[in-house]
Amino acid sequence: MKKINASLVEADFNLKAAANASKFAWKNFRNATLRRLFNTVTDVGSDALGRKSKDKLLQLRSLEAEMEKIYSKGKVCNNTNTCFPLNPDLTNILATSRNHDDLLWAWKGWRNNVGRAEKEKFTEFVKLLNEASVENGYKNAAEDWISSYEMPVESFKQLVTTLYFELKPLYEQLHTYVRKKLMVKYGEDKFPKTRHIPAHLTGNMWAQTWSNVLDLVQPYNKTSVDVTPSMKAKGYNAMKMFNISEEFFTSLGLKKMPAKFWEKSLITKPANRSVVCHASAWDFYNQADFRIKMCTVVNMEDLITVHHEMGHVQYYLQYKDLPVGFRRGANPGFHEAVGDVLALSASTPSHLKEIGLLDNADEDYGLCCHLSHLM
């Protein structure tokens, strides 16, 4: 309830600020920067629901908190009544198990226990979110979100469609190759005639990446780019992974993490309470307090994620002294792009060799191994 009350106080402030800004004919300002700043103040997102009904805004925030609680406490229990939370247990099963039935049990169990519990709440949440967007001057939440990219909705859709068809030929070849490799491991009978790859076989609960099944699909056996064994052999822990990440950024001339970052960040899963372990970076808008929340596990995937999240914090540090309305990414996609570009740079074979995690990267570390890295 504390979080809900805090969000309602914030919403009240945002609505008052928007009302004050709306007293000016800001759309007619000649200064483009000032127009953009006023636009960020008057567009209050889902807080706009509070103009229509404070009770509905409370309902929206309550649903959000309830779904977060369900997600953070979700577990899957086996026949012996041993229960497994998402992190690290189910995540580890998806990443490391090569038993088809175990993978399906973990993937399906999570969705049955968490997805079903959230389904009705999520449906109502979306309805209220759309109402808020209408109140904010948009047709629906989708149009509201697209507005962040500062282009007409149809132009945005066309751009995404163009990018999709540019990537499609490469992705289809990659998809076909990976599917064939996984068929060899699990048998063709485990794959539907629709030709898609069953999500539980990708090594990731959300099928976001295939890096955890690299051992099954990499095209060459000469060199593995998975440095997880090396990390464990060298005694890596969560703090070491964060220190390595900070060293990477400072080597580029970027900023060190502020003192409060190390004091306030949550980088390992707490033993005494349930938390949403999905990695995230946070800006507390006071120019000093920036944090990462992550239940770090010692493996290569999490090492890359640490760099990604710290990339977000680096972006926060770059714009921390701008007006509050500009202390955000140029658009949501740009913030993610910053994190991904920096994380990709940190995961190259040459960098992994430089920090001592890829000892077998020899002089002719060529096409075969770079293809494995790109996988």
Side-chain angles (χ1 to χ4, degrees), residues 310-322:
M310 198 172 284
H312 285 305
V313 176
Q314 284 291 343
Y315 197 5
Y316 298 153
L317 291 171
Q318 297 303 316
Y319 59 59
K320 69 181 178 65
D321 296 320
L322 295 177

Side-chain angles (χ1 to χ4, degrees), residues 11 30 69 91 120 136 143 150 183 195 250 275 311 348 369:
R30 293 181 181 180
K69 185 177 181 180
T91 297
E120 290 186 9
N136 218 19
E143 186 178 288
E150 299 182 84
M183 279 182 173
R195 297 170 56 194
T250 55
V275 297
T348 60
C369 306

Side-chain angles (χ1 to χ4, degrees), residues 85-302:
L86 176 62
N87 284 298
D89 298 355
L90 296 175
T91 297
N92 189 55
I93 290 173
L94 266 292
T96 63
S97 175
R98 297 298 179 253
N99 180 288
H100 176 273
D101 292 343
D102 288 347
L103 292 168
L104 184 60
W105 169 81
W107 187 92
K108 200 171 182 178
W110 172 256
R111 282 155 178 79
N112 285 344
N113 291 351
V114 175
R116 289 180 179 178
E118 291 192 349
K119 185 177 179 180
E120 290 186 9
K121 297 179 188 298
F122 183 72
T123 301
E124 186 61 27
F125 176 78
V126 171
K127 180 182 175 182
L128 290 170
L129 206 59
N130 281 324
E131 283 188 41
S133 294
V134 170
E135 188 65 28
N136 218 19
Y138 301 99
K139 290 182 180 179
N140 49 46
E143 186 178 288
D144 193 347
W145 292 347
I146 291 173
S147 71
S148 299
Y149 294 85
E150 299 182 84
M151 65 173 70
V153 173
E154 291 307 314
S155 297
F156 180 84
K157 290 180 179 178
Q158 184 58 50
L159 176 61
V160 172
T161 301
T162 300
L163 292 171
Y164 169 77
F165 281 107
E166 284 179 0
L167 287 171
K168 186 178 179 182
L170 171 62
Y171 183 78
E172 284 182 332
Q173 292 184 58
L174 182 61
H175 185 278
T176 300
Y177 170 81
V178 171
R179 184 178 71 242
K180 180 64 177 177
K181 286 285 190 176
L182 293 176
M183 279 182 173
V184 171
K185 172 63 180 178
Y186 296 109
E188 292 188 19
D189 61 308
K190 301 297 193 296
F191 289 74
K193 293 182 179 180
T194 55
R195 297 170 56 194
H196 72 264
I197 299 173
H200 63 284
L201 300 182
T202 62
N204 179 279
M205 183 63 86
W206 325 118
Q208 290 172 306
T209 68
W210 299 338
S211 58
N212 288 321
V213 294
L214 179 63
D215 60 304
L216 300 179
V217 305
Q218 69 177 14
Y220 299 96
N221 295 321
K222 180 179 177 183
T223 303
S224 173
V225 293
D226 182 4
V227 297
T228 299
S230 180
M231 291 171 65
K232 292 180 177 179
K234 293 178 183 296
Y236 269 58
N237 56 24
M239 183 58 73
K240 174 69 172 176
M241 292 162 70
F242 274 78
N243 287 335
I244 284 287
S245 179
E246 183 184 45
E247 288 172 10
F248 169 75
F249 288 109
T250 55
S251 74
L252 298 175
L254 296 174
K255 300 183 179 184
K256 297 185 71 172
M257 294 293 101
K260 280 193 175 181
F261 174 86
W262 300 108
E263 179 187 344
K264 300 289 188 179
S265 289
L266 186 154
I267 65 172
T268 56
K269 185 176 183 179
N272 58 348
R273 58 192 172 95
S274 298
V275 297
V276 174
C277 278
H278 183 79
S280 54
W282 299 80
D283 178 359
F284 284 78
Y285 291 91
N286 60 5
Q287 301 172 294
D289 194 352
F290 309 92
R291 310 179 195 179
I292 287 176
K293 183 180 73 169
M294 180 175 175
C295 303
T296 314
V297 177
V298 179
N299 58 44
M300 182 174 178
E301 183 177 23
D302 274 19

